[in-house]
Every structure is written in structure tokens, then in C-alpha cells.
Amino acid sequence: MADCIFCKIVRGEISSRKVHEDEHVFAFHDIRPLAPVHILIVPKAHVASLYDCDQSHEAALGRMLAVAGRLAREQGATDGFRTIINTGRVGRQEVYHVHVHIIGGPDVLPGMIVRK
Ligand code: AMP
Ligand code: ZN
């Protein structure tokens, strides 16, 4: 996708702080980190959101989670982390190229969604 910011990062057209790359996925530091460790893992092939994923994306989606623990540990999240995939308007997705957030650090994270 020509105008997709994460596709541009994968292609090296926009700089990023890369932490991992293989045939299926690319991982880099989030530009506005919410915690000491905040990285994003994206499929190299553009797909807008989980709504658009099907069996053809299984290898990339699987790889995103398969490398998550190792990357989190390597970045310093050694005592736990949170994985988040925001989808669509309700999920407050901002960048429409599937990505999993890896968020962690030394401190316990806030509750995920506040119970009313
Ligand atoms: P989401 O709301 O799940 O779509 O989150 C998109 C994330 O992408 C946000 O946490 C942004 O800080 C992050 N982001 C946007 N542009 C860049 C960029 N050029 N490099 C790294 N992270 C980015
Ligand atoms: Zn893209």
C-alpha cells in the first residue's frame, strides 16, 4: 500500500527503531511509548485490520505472537507485558495496518478496561 505509514516503515522509506525482521513480520519501537517497553509487531504484507484477515494471514499473525515474548524480554520486559491489537472505530485503531502492541516495563500496568 503506497500511502500506509507502516508499509513505508517496512520498506525503509520512513525511519524506525527496528528490533526484529523476518520473512513475515517487522517490529519496531512505538514513536509515542506508553511504557518503558512499547514495541509494535506488524505483518510485512499490508492488511488493514483483523476484520480483513483470513486464513491467508495465518503465518504472519502466528509469527507476530510467536516472537512477542522473546522481543519483550530482549527489550527489558522480563516480568510480564501486555499485548493489544486495536481494531476499528470501537477499538480506537489509529493506523490501519494490523499491529500488535507489546507494552511493559518494570511497573505493573493499569487495569485494562475500567469496570463500571
Ligand atoms: P493504534 O491506535 O493501535 O492504531 O496504534 C497506532 C500506534 O502507532 C500508536 O501507538 C502510535 O504511537 C504508533 N505510531 C504511529 N506512527 C508511528 C511511527 N512513524 N513510528 C512508530 N510508531 C508509530
Ligand atoms: Zn500497510
Side-chain angles (χ1 to χ4, degrees):
M1 290 285 283
D3 291 337
C4 170
I5 188 165
F6 287 174
C7 283
K8 288 182 177 176
I9 285 175
V10 169
R11 291 195 297 262
E13 295 168 12
I14 291 177
S15 64
S16 69
R17 292 171 57 211
K18 180 170 90 170
V19 296
H20 172 80
E21 180 176 11
D22 61 41
E23 73 270 40
H24 290 301
V25 303
F26 192 99
F28 52 98
H29 288 274
D30 195 291
I31 203 165
R32 289 185 292 139
L34 294 166
V37 176
H38 189 169
I39 61 176
L40 303 173
I41 310 174
V42 311
K44 278 185 158 178
H46 180 84
V47 59
S49 83
L50 284 185
Y51 278 132
D52 304 289
C53 290
D54 57 30
Q55 285 190 344
S56 70
H57 302 95
E58 281 181 359
L61 291 171
R63 188 65 59 83
M64 287 162 66
L65 293 184
V67 300
R70 176 172 64 79
L71 297 184
R73 189 180 287 116
E74 286 175 0
Q75 295 305 316
T78 55
D79 197 22
F81 61 93
R82 183 170 293 158
T83 47
I84 300 173
I85 302 177
N86 295 319
T87 301
R89 179 184 66 86
V90 169
R92 296 199 177 191
Q93 184 176 1
E94 293 176 3
V95 177
Y96 278 77
H97 177 132
V98 167
H99 52 281
V100 58
H101 296 256
I102 306 293
I103 300 172
D107 300 327
V108 174
L109 295 167
M112 192 162 59
I113 296 175
V114 177
R115 292 186 194 279
K116 291 182 180 153

